[in-house]
């Protein structure tokens, strides 16, 4: 973060009052978690389940230089400068808007039901060949995470790649208006949060709110095989659009795809003689890479310039991550999140990968996909379409919702002795896995993050 004087922050947030004796003191970072405050930092006490004002002393102990304050001024701390505001969240957002304007980077915004973090990581890697790039860290992609991301970018940032997440209508609109963008990317329309939004059509509408922040000369990049987006943008002829996919009818497409366990190789129509490689497997990751290629193309970069960084980009943890387990077990850790489209895609790719040895087994460990509401049973059952006996040697299912998949597998004739179902007992699941898997077996572990299957991965690695 570029250092800001307190009087500069006061103007940016429209403060009601502040200690003018500290007007020229410098703030070098912000934090809304008192334990993450660094010396020289501004503490932002937000009101949620807990009132952040109650943690002011902890923030001071961690080195807070100053604090926003929306409670009674009489209760404000005396040890550090206080910037009195009407609402700390509004002030936080206003400060982020000011800082974004001050630094003035190009903004690439990425949203989607799946693949947005991988696409964000790939995009940041490709653009870093030419620009100073800062990207969303971890899962800071919501109404708190995006302003924090903006305020965390270094002074020399030329391109900000920001991930935008949502769980309901209006959330992407808020983020798009906070962070006007030069390029907007929607990776896919899936079933995430359908419990709250009711249909894929409503999910598409919520994702398309991102276009409300697209600048007049901006570019919209989206999957060409998604009719819900195509139908919407027909009415927006003034927007520059790039359709991406695996079919040669798209503006940017891939061909000659070769999947390996930890790499995928392919060519694009942007430069048909240049082979590209990504350090992850699966056609669905090729689509993510094409999104990154399209962003780079929109910014004037040639495929030759992005070939190396694309081949070396680093995935955010717990996403399509191959790990070596005990006794040379091969673990595909994809425990960060799950929705039906993403789960079907990763199982399809996992099923097709070459086995490391003739005796190797392919095993699925799947946990509940959350926030599917009334569609949950049918969507869990639909995963059975991707599971067959010749390619998958065993299935371990965890969680109440996975009962629907267990039934669907039995109904389709998948061998019952290969189906292991654990409604609640994760310890039993782990014990049985450890007893039954062998050296060089391949194990895919995937579920919504809230199911805690990272514990299974940890046990297999131990």
């Amino acid at each position: 973060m570029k250092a800001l004087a307190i009087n500069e922050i006061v103007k940016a947030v429209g403060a009601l009052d502040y200690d003018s004796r500290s007007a020229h003191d410098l703030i070098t970072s912000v934090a809304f978690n008192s334990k993450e405050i660094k010396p020289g930092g501004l503490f932002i006490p937000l009101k949620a389940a807990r009132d952040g004002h109650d943690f002011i002393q902890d923030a001071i102990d961690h080195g807070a230089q100053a604090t926003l304050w929306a409670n009674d001024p009489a209760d404000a701390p005396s040890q550090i400068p206080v910037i009195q505001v009407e609402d700390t969240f509004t002030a936080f957002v206003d400060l982020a808007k000011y800082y974004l304007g001050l630094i003035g980077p190009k903004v690439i915004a990425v949203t989607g039901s799946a693949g947005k973090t991988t696409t964000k990581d790939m995009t940041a890697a490709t653009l870093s060949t030419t620009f100073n790039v800062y990207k969303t860290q971890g899962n800071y992609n919501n109404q708190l995470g995006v302003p924090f991301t903006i305020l965390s970018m270094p002074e020399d940032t030329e391109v900000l790649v920001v991930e935008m997440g949502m769980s309901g209508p209006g959330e992407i609109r808020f983020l798009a208006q906070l962070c006007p963008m030069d390029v907007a990317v929607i990776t896919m329309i899936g079933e995430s949060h359908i419990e709250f939004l009711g249909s894929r059509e409503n999910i598409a509408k919520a994702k398309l709110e991102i276009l409300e922040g697209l600048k007049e000369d901006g570019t919209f990049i989206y999957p060409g095989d998604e009719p819900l987006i195509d139908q919407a943008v027909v009415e927006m002829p003034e927007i520059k659009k790039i359709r991406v996919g695996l079919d040669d009818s798209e503006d940017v497409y891939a061909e000659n795809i070769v999947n390996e366990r930890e790499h995928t190789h392919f060519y694009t129509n942007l430069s048909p003689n240049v082979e590209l490689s990504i350090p992850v497997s699966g056609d669905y990751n090729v689509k993510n890479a094409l999104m990154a290629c399209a962003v780079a193309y929109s910014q004037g970069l040639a495929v030759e310039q992005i070939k190396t960084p694309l081949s070396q980009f680093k995935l955010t943890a717990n996403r399509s991550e191959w790990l070596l387990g005990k006794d040379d077990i091969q673990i595909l850790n994809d425990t960060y999140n799950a929705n039906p489209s993403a789960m079907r895609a990763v199982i399809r790719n996992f099923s097709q990968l070459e086995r490391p040895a003739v005796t190797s087994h392919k095993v699925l460990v799947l946990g509940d996909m959350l926030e599917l509401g009334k569609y949950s049973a049918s969507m869990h059952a639909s995963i059975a379409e991707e599971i067959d006996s010749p390619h998958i040697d065993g299935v371990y299912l965890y969680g109440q919702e996975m009962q629907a998949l267990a039934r669907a597998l039995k109904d389709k004739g998948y061998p019952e002795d290969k189906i292991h179902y654990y409604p609640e007992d994760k310890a039993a699941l782990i014990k049985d896995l450890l007893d039954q898997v062998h050296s060089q077996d391949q194990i895919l572990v995937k579920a919504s993050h809230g199911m805690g299957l990272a514990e299974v991965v940890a046990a297999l690695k131990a």
Side-chain angles (χ1 to χ4, degrees), residues 312-331:
Q312 299 173 348
F313 93 96
K314 301 297 183 186
L315 271 173
T316 299
N318 298 326
R319 291 170 171 85
S320 299
E321 174 187 33
W322 280 101
L323 303 170
L324 187 63
K326 58 178 295 186
D327 299 326
D328 293 326
I329 295 168
Q330 299 178 7
I331 309 162

Side-chain angles (χ1 to χ4, degrees), residues 51-66:
D51 186 345
H53 293 77
D54 295 340
F55 298 88
I56 184 60
Q57 187 57 53
D58 191 42
I60 293 170
D61 292 344
H62 280 84
Q65 175 72 22

Side-chain angles (χ1 to χ4, degrees), residues 30-293:
V30 301
F32 50 81
N33 183 332
S34 61
K35 297 190 182 308
E36 294 177 1
I37 278 284
K38 300 173 183 176
L42 173 69
F43 180 50
I44 302 172
L46 300 172
K47 295 184 178 182
R50 302 285 298 275
D51 186 345
H53 293 77
D54 295 340
F55 298 88
I56 184 60
Q57 187 57 53
D58 191 42
I60 293 170
D61 292 344
H62 280 84
Q65 175 72 22
T67 186
L68 298 181
W69 197 261
N71 281 0
D72 189 334
D75 297 329
S78 58
Q79 305 98 306
I80 59 173
V82 172
I83 302 171
Q84 189 76 33
V85 295
E86 189 170 331
D87 179 82
T88 52
F89 176 71
T90 301
F92 179 34
V93 171
D94 287 343
L95 182 58
K97 289 179 180 177
Y98 170 78
Y99 188 73
L100 182 65
L102 180 67
I103 303 302
K106 287 189 173 183
V107 176
I108 316 297
V110 182
T111 192
S113 298
K116 57 184 176 289
T117 300
T118 301
T119 300
K120 175 253 310 183
D121 291 338
M122 289 177 168
T123 299
T126 58
L127 296 178
S128 65
T129 61
T130 306
F131 305 102
N132 291 326
V133 177
Y134 185 75
K135 67 177 181 178
T136 299
Q137 305 295 305
N139 63 343
Y140 280 84
N141 63 8
N142 61 10
Q143 294 186 351
L144 298 182
V146 171
F148 180 77
T149 295
I150 292 170
L151 288 164
S152 299
M153 66 176 163
E155 181 178 357
D156 64 352
T157 300
E158 297 173 301
V159 175
L160 175 66
V161 183
V162 59
E163 181 181 329
M164 293 183 174
M166 52 148 271
S167 58
E171 294 178 14
I172 295 293
R173 177 180 295 114
F174 173 86
L175 299 177
Q177 293 172 348
L178 161 63
C179 196
M181 64 211 69
D182 298 89
V183 181
V185 179
I186 296 180
T187 58
M188 70 169 292
I189 304 298
E191 305 87 357
S192 296
H193 314 301
I194 199 169
E195 176 181 10
F196 309 115
L197 289 159
S199 68
R200 286 187 75 251
E201 288 77 10
N202 287 340
I203 293 170
K205 288 179 183 178
K207 295 296 184 186
L208 284 162
E209 290 172 4
I210 196 171
L211 297 180
E212 297 181 32
L214 186 64
K215 297 176 183 176
E216 282 190 14
D217 59 346
T219 301
F220 177 36
I221 297 170
Y222 66 96
D225 61 354
E226 181 47 78
L228 291 173
I229 299 180
D230 264 338
Q231 292 163 14
V233 299
V234 163
E235 302 174 6
M236 307 174 188
E238 72 284 359
I239 293 179
K240 287 190 287 187
K241 302 178 281 287
I242 300 178
R243 299 169 80 250
V244 169
L246 303 184
D247 190 275
D248 61 10
S249 64
E250 317 299 357
D251 300 318
V252 177
Y253 62 87
E255 52 191 357
N256 300 327
I257 300 171
V258 177
N259 277 298
E260 299 174 354
R261 196 193 78 164
E262 295 188 35
H263 294 86
T264 305
H265 309 280
F266 62 97
Y267 293 82
T268 77
N269 61 308
L270 295 176
S271 190
N273 296 320
V274 178
E275 184 184 49
L276 296 176
S277 176
I278 52 177
V280 286
S281 185
D283 288 1
Y284 60 99
N285 278 316
V286 172
K287 289 183 179 180
N288 296 333
L290 290 172
M291 297 282 178
C293 289

Side-chain angles (χ1 to χ4, degrees), residues 317-357:
N318 298 326
R319 291 170 171 85
S320 299
E321 174 187 33
W322 280 101
L323 303 170
L324 187 63
K326 58 178 295 186
D327 299 326
D328 293 326
I329 295 168
Q330 299 178 7
I331 309 162
L332 180 53
N333 177 19
D334 204 351
T335 56
Y336 185 78
N337 216 337
N339 64 61
S341 296
M343 186 169 280
R344 283 192 291 268
V346 72
I347 292 172
R348 188 181 311 126
N349 181 68
F350 179 76
S351 300
Q352 295 168 356
L353 292 177
E354 185 178 350
R355 297 172 188 259

